[in-house]
Amino acid sequence: TLGLVLMCSGREGAADAFRQALELAPEMHPVAYLLGKHLAMTGDVEEAGAAFDRFAELTGGDPSVYRAYLAAVSDPSQRSQALTALQEPAFFGPVQRAALLAHLGDYDASLTLLEEAVRSRSPYLPWANAMPEFQGMRSDSRFQSILAWVRF
């Protein structure tokens, strides 16, 4: 939780908090995902890949979606492949996929997934108000409707 709060508030130390949490509870797959996402957003794509691989290993999922996302973070010419990969249901939920899509700049697809998260009552949806990757969408009426559903 400390890593998530630090990441959402834009303060230093999020990656260290996530790493410490994984040392204390190595099987805690949501932390591996958050570490990977945070590192990708801050430009450490190589270490992000290791964190996402750990997440995939812990969940038994296919890491190809993350690899496509990280390829697009490193090389914008790979963006269309990543956007396609992130549209497909995966071993992580719509809020997580929406965050990665928003980070890549596909706000419409991100909003569609957040609306899916509302319908499925995702437990991660309340964090959308604080997640930095949604910053560019905050004034969108669809995003405002999602926040209203969460009662923000």
Side-chain angles (χ1 to χ4, degrees), residues 87-148:
Q87 294 295 327
E88 298 300 319
F91 50 90
F92 55 112
V95 174
Q96 292 82 359
R97 291 180 8 245
L100 301 181
L101 284 164
H103 181 228
L104 293 176
D106 192 337
Y107 295 154
D108 186 57
S110 179
L111 287 163
T112 298
L113 284 172
L114 289 174
E115 290 165 342
E116 178 185 319
V118 168
R119 288 188 298 279
S120 67
R121 300 185 181 277
S122 169
Y124 300 104
L125 197 53
W127 284 98
N129 192 37
M131 295 169 89
E133 51 270 57
F134 296 127
Q135 184 62 37
M137 303 175 359
R138 295 204 192 286
S139 63
D140 187 289
S141 62
R142 289 170 67 193
F143 191 77
Q144 291 300 315
S145 293
I146 291 162
L147 292 182

Side-chain angles (χ1 to χ4, degrees), residues 3-138:
L4 189 55
V5 169
L6 291 171
M7 179 181 73
C8 289
S9 65
R11 295 173 45 205
E12 296 291 321
D16 290 336
F18 291 138
R19 287 184 196 104
Q20 184 178 17
L22 285 170
E23 286 177 22
L24 294 171
E27 73 289 345
M28 208 168 177
H29 66 275
V31 176
Y33 164 80
L34 289 168
L35 176 60
K37 181 178 79 157
H38 176 70
L39 291 169
M41 290 180 60
T42 58
D44 190 345
V45 175
E46 186 175 325
E47 192 177 348
F52 282 141
D53 284 345
R54 182 173 184 176
F55 175 76
E57 180 182 312
L58 290 169
T59 60
D62 177 4
S64 64
V65 173
Y66 295 114
R67 290 190 183 125
Y69 163 70
L70 292 173
V73 170
S74 296
D75 178 3
S77 72
Q78 301 294 313
R79 187 174 176 264
S80 65
Q81 293 92 326
L83 297 178
T84 299
L86 288 165
Q87 294 295 327
E88 298 300 319
F91 50 90
F92 55 112
V95 174
Q96 292 82 359
R97 291 180 8 245
L100 301 181
L101 284 164
H103 181 228
L104 293 176
D106 192 337
Y107 295 154
D108 186 57
S110 179
L111 287 163
T112 298
L113 284 172
L114 289 174
E115 290 165 342
E116 178 185 319
V118 168
R119 288 188 298 279
S120 67
R121 300 185 181 277
S122 169
Y124 300 104
L125 197 53
W127 284 98
N129 192 37
M131 295 169 89
E133 51 270 57
F134 296 127
Q135 184 62 37
M137 303 175 359
R138 295 204 192 286

